[in-house]
């Protein structure tokens, strides 16, 4: 009896808050449409109101009282009360709670119907079959979208084969990375993939991502960049240096001659015609990123890439005190977002300081900071490594030590090189080989470039294994 009372005593205030949130936020409405149905609401008027809101959305009409009332007969006072209800911040949790109550309520109704069925002269096998069908009908909405018949899977696979053949893009199955040797190894950034770019500070994580972004924009593919560390203007300055090959410092200080001003102006004009958004609020949670990305994706179907710089600055959804658990939650949420929106999501991550104590400072998967869950969730993990950076640091430390000890210092490392070798280490590749891609880093422009060489059809020599 207690169970029946608890289910019957449903908090209608939550239903009002969910309805109010769906009226005030189209992003929340889109989330609710995929998770709830009108029958999940306990009150008939709430059910009809939610159905009316969906009809307004499907008809591309404003979600406003005058339009809502076209589809539902509701008193003005009640509608105003619902609209005035405080909206929800974390609507997904309340949505899951409402769904759970709905299923319990339907199961309770089924339990009440069983005694009347037992009194009839119905064969036991038929009775059990009816009950099983009813239970399946009630619970199927929870996981129906995750179950696919083999015929559907085969059809999807054949459609994918057909699309690849029509596109005829050689090594690239997803977004072109801009680096031929990297394309050969990971086959491009594929829809639904979470790609982690990790390195120690100063190695060029953001710079390599700007290379990826620039290539996507050149191919007229929209990009959304969540920059939690760097203002949008600084991002554009770096991209202009990459595009024009003008030293970054000259662009920052506006120390440009007439020809350089013309190059920068032309590059700005070119970027202004692209679908490119930069979110540079220093505070962002997974919910913030999800809401912004869903809205922009709805406005621009051509958005094909999302970049988050970086995971260490993101806030988790829960109140876990342990940062490892927060990062695990963040990485999982980004992976689910990539799958939901069917686009690659690139997220930057720091590495543990402990690798600095090793003689070979090339990163490994165990160096990922704060959470092993990143390694599990990621489809690809790329490490940025520049040996010259460490040599330069060591040289400065030796010079400082000699100065403190009053000894003569003979410089063995020349830091005047404007271009240096760099490595993009593929530490994980879920559907392909791992290995190292050789690149050139331009210090002046803070950009990466392909090593000039003839590429054959074989994989890089440093390929070691295929991750499963």
């Amino acid at each position: 009896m207690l169970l029946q009372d608890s289910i019957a005593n449903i908090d209608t205030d939550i239903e009002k808050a969910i309805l109010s949130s769906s009226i005030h936020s189209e992003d929340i409405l889109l989330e609710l449409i995929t998770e709830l149905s009108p029958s999940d609401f306990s009150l008939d008027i709430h059910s009809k109101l939610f159905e009316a809101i969906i009809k307004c959305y499907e008809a591309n009409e404003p979600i406003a009282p005058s339009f809502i009332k076209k589809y539902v007969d509701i008193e003005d006072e009640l509608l105003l009360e619902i609209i005035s209800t405080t909206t929800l911040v974390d609507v997904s949790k309340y949505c899951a709670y409402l769904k759970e109550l709905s299923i319990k309520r339907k199961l309770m109704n089924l339990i009440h119907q069983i005694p009347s069925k037992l009194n009839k002269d119905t064969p036991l096998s038929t009775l059990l079959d009816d009950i099983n069908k009813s239970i399946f009908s009630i619970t199927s909405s929870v996981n129906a979208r995750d179950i696919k018949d083999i015929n559907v899977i085969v059809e999807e696979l054949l459609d994918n084969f057909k699309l690849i053949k029509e596109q005829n893009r050689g090594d690239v199955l997803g977004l072109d990375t801009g680096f031929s040797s990297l394309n050969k190894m990971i086959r491009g950034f594929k829809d639904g993939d979470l790609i982690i770019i990790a390195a120690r500070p100063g190695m060029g994580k953001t710079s390599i991502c700007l290379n990826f972004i620039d290539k996507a924009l050149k191919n007229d593919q929209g990009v959304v960049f969540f920059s939690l560390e760097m203002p949008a203007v600084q991002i554009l300055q770096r991209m202009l240096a990459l595009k024009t090959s003008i030293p970054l410092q000259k662009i920052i200080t506006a120390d440009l001659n007439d020809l350089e001003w013309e190059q920068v102006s032309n590059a700005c004009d070119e970027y202004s015609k692209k679908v490119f958004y930069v979110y540079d609020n220093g505070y962002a949670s997974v919910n913030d990123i999800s809401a912004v990305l869903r809205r922009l994706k709805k406005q621009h179907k051509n958005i094909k890439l999302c970049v988050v710089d970086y995971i260490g600055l993101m806030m988790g959804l829960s109140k876990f005190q342990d940062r490892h658990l927060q990062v695990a939650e963040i990485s999982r949420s980004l992976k689910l977002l990539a799958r939901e929106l069917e686009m690659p999501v690139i997220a930057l991550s720091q590495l543990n300081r402990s690798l600095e104590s090793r003689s070979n400072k090339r990163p490994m998967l165990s160096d990922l900071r704060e959470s092993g869950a990143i390694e599990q969730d990621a489809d690809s993990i790329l490490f940025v490594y520049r040996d010259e950076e460490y040599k330069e640091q060591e040289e400065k430390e030796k010079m400082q030590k000699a100065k403190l000890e009053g000894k003569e210092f003979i410089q063995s490392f020349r830091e005047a090189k404007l271009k240096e070798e760099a490595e993009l280490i593929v530490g994980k590749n879920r559907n392909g080989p791992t290995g190292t891609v050789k690149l050139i880093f331009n210090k002046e422009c803070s950009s990466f470039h392909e090593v000039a060489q003839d590429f054959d059809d074989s994989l890089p020599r440093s390929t070691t294994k295929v991750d499963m």
Side-chain angles (χ1 to χ4, degrees):
M1 188 66 182
L2 290 174
L3 177 61
Q4 183 176 351
D5 290 342
S6 65
I7 295 174
N9 187 27
I10 295 171
D11 190 348
T12 55
D13 288 340
I14 290 179
E15 294 189 2
K16 290 178 181 178
I18 288 176
L19 290 168
S20 176
S21 300
S22 67
I23 292 172
H24 287 98
S25 171
E26 190 172 295
D27 291 326
I28 290 178
L29 175 59
L30 287 174
E31 183 177 347
L32 292 174
I33 287 175
T34 60
E35 299 297 332
L36 294 177
S37 65
S39 63
D40 290 322
F41 292 84
S42 62
L43 298 183
D44 185 57
I45 188 61
H46 289 175
S47 176
K48 291 178 179 177
L49 177 57
F50 186 62
E51 189 173 5
I53 293 169
I54 293 173
K55 287 179 179 178
C56 282
Y57 172 76
E58 290 175 344
N60 201 26
E61 296 174 340
I63 314 296
S66 57
F67 289 90
I68 292 173
K69 293 187 71 175
K70 287 169 54 180
Y71 302 102
V72 61
D73 183 14
I74 184 172
E75 296 178 1
D76 291 339
E77 188 176 331
L78 177 57
L79 181 56
L80 180 60
E81 178 187 340
I82 290 173
I83 292 175
S84 302
T85 303
T86 303
T87 57
L88 301 171
V89 176
D90 191 357
V91 71
S92 58
K93 291 183 179 178
Y94 291 95
C95 178
Y97 176 67
L98 185 64
K99 190 74 177 179
E100 182 180 336
L101 290 180
S102 170
I103 292 173
K104 287 180 178 179
R105 187 171 65 252
K106 291 171 183 175
L107 287 173
M108 186 60 69
N109 290 335
L110 175 62
I111 291 171
H112 288 315
Q113 294 171 13
I114 290 177
S116 61
K117 293 176 183 284
L118 289 172
N119 293 330
K120 296 178 180 179
D121 295 330
T122 306
L124 181 60
S125 59
T126 304
L127 177 63
L128 292 174
D129 187 49
D130 287 344
I131 294 173
N132 282 329
K133 284 180 180 178
S134 298
I135 293 174
F136 177 76
S137 176
I138 293 169
T139 60
S140 61
S141 60
V142 178
N143 53 17
R145 290 176 297 170
D146 302 326
I147 302 174
K148 291 184 178 179
D149 184 89
I150 184 61
N151 294 309
V152 175
I153 301 171
V154 169
E155 187 176 346
E156 287 181 1
L157 179 65
L158 294 176
D159 288 342
N160 188 44
F161 283 155
K162 184 179 178 181
L163 180 62
I164 293 171
K165 191 172 181 180
E166 288 174 351
Q167 292 176 340
N168 192 25
R169 294 190 294 164
D171 297 316
V172 185
L173 300 181
L175 262 66
D176 190 345
T177 68
F179 301 109
S180 303
S181 48
L182 181 60
N183 284 337
K184 287 186 177 183
M185 196 175 291
I186 68 171
R187 307 297 181 184
F189 299 133
K190 296 174 283 296
D191 290 345
D193 276 7
L194 174 62
I195 302 100
I196 299 296
I197 311 293
R200 289 293 296 150
M203 285 289 159
K205 297 187 298 297
T206 302
S207 296
I208 195 73
C209 279
L210 295 183
N211 275 85
F212 298 147
I213 290 172
D214 185 65
K215 185 61 179 179
L217 295 177
K218 281 180 180 176
N219 292 336
D220 291 324
Q221 294 160 327
V223 179
V224 182
F225 186 19
F226 294 90
S227 178
L228 281 61
E229 187 174 35
M230 197 179 299
V233 171
Q234 291 184 20
I235 295 296
L236 182 56
Q237 288 172 339
R238 286 171 171 250
M239 293 194 68
L240 291 172
L242 165 66
K243 195 169 199 63
T244 63
S245 297
I246 296 172
L248 177 60
Q249 197 59 34
K250 295 190 71 174
I251 291 177
I252 291 174
T253 59
D255 181 21
L256 307 172
N257 59 37
D258 290 344
L259 178 59
E260 289 168 338
W261 272 116
E262 184 179 356
Q263 288 178 292
V264 168
S265 179
N266 291 338
C268 286
D269 288 341
E270 188 174 337
Y271 279 135
S272 66
K273 297 173 184 175
K274 304 295 184 180
V275 178
F276 183 34
Y277 290 91
V278 180
Y279 176 102
D280 64 353
N281 189 327
Y283 173 91
S285 67
V286 172
N287 269 351
D288 297 327
I289 289 173
S290 300
V292 171
L293 193 56
R294 286 192 188 103
R295 185 176 72 248
L296 292 175
K297 181 77 172 175
K298 182 175 181 293
Q299 293 172 357
H300 304 279
K301 303 298 183 184
N302 195 39
I303 288 178
K304 302 295 183 181
L305 177 64
C306 170
V307 179
V308 181
D309 184 8
Y310 65 96
I311 285 179
L313 296 177
M314 288 181 62
M315 304 300 294
L317 299 177
S318 61
K319 295 182 179 178
F320 290 129
Q321 296 296 320
D322 192 328
R323 183 58 182 169
H324 287 73
L325 296 176
Q326 290 183 12
V327 172
E329 180 185 49
I330 290 168
S331 67
R332 187 58 187 161
S333 297
L334 290 176
K335 171 59 183 175
L336 292 175
L337 183 63
R339 289 189 60 181
E340 175 195 337
L341 298 182
E342 297 181 336
M343 62 189 296
V345 172
I346 298 176
L348 279 62
S349 178
Q350 294 277 27
L351 295 177
N352 291 316
R353 189 183 294 274
S354 58
L355 71 82
E356 306 283 356
S357 61
R358 298 200 303 258
S359 56
N360 184 351
K361 296 177 174 57
R362 285 175 175 79
M364 301 182 295
L365 291 174
S366 57
D367 295 322
L368 282 168
R369 177 181 285 184
E370 293 172 327
S371 178
I374 294 177
E375 180 184 344
Q376 297 173 8
D377 294 326
D379 296 281
S380 300
I381 298 177
L382 312 180
F383 298 110
V384 184
Y385 176 76
R386 288 164 38 222
D387 195 52
E388 299 289 325
E389 182 73 13
Y390 282 112
K391 288 180 180 178
E392 187 175 325
Q393 289 178 15
E394 289 173 5
E395 192 76 0
K396 288 179 179 178
E397 289 172 4
K398 290 177 182 177
M399 184 186 299
Q400 186 66 23
K401 184 179 180 181
K403 186 177 180 180
L404 291 173
E405 295 175 354
K407 296 179 180 179
E408 182 183 358
F409 178 76
I410 301 174
Q411 190 169 356
S412 59
F413 174 75
R414 299 183 63 183
E415 56 181 272
K417 292 168 63 176
L418 299 179
K419 294 182 180 180
E420 61 186 46
E421 290 184 357
E423 297 176 15
L424 195 54
I425 302 168
V426 182
K428 178 182 180 182
N429 185 12
R430 195 182 297 278
N431 296 306
T434 57
T436 302
V437 173
K438 299 290 185 180
L439 299 174
I440 296 295
F441 180 69
N442 185 327
K443 280 187 172 182
E444 280 194 317
C445 301
S446 191
S447 59
F448 289 84
H449 303 275
E450 196 105 52
V451 176
Q453 61 175 316
D454 294 324
F455 293 96
D456 56 24
D457 292 331
S458 62
L459 290 167
R461 292 183 181 179
S462 52
T463 295
T464 55
K465 64 177 181 177
V466 175
D467 288 341
M468 300 302 289

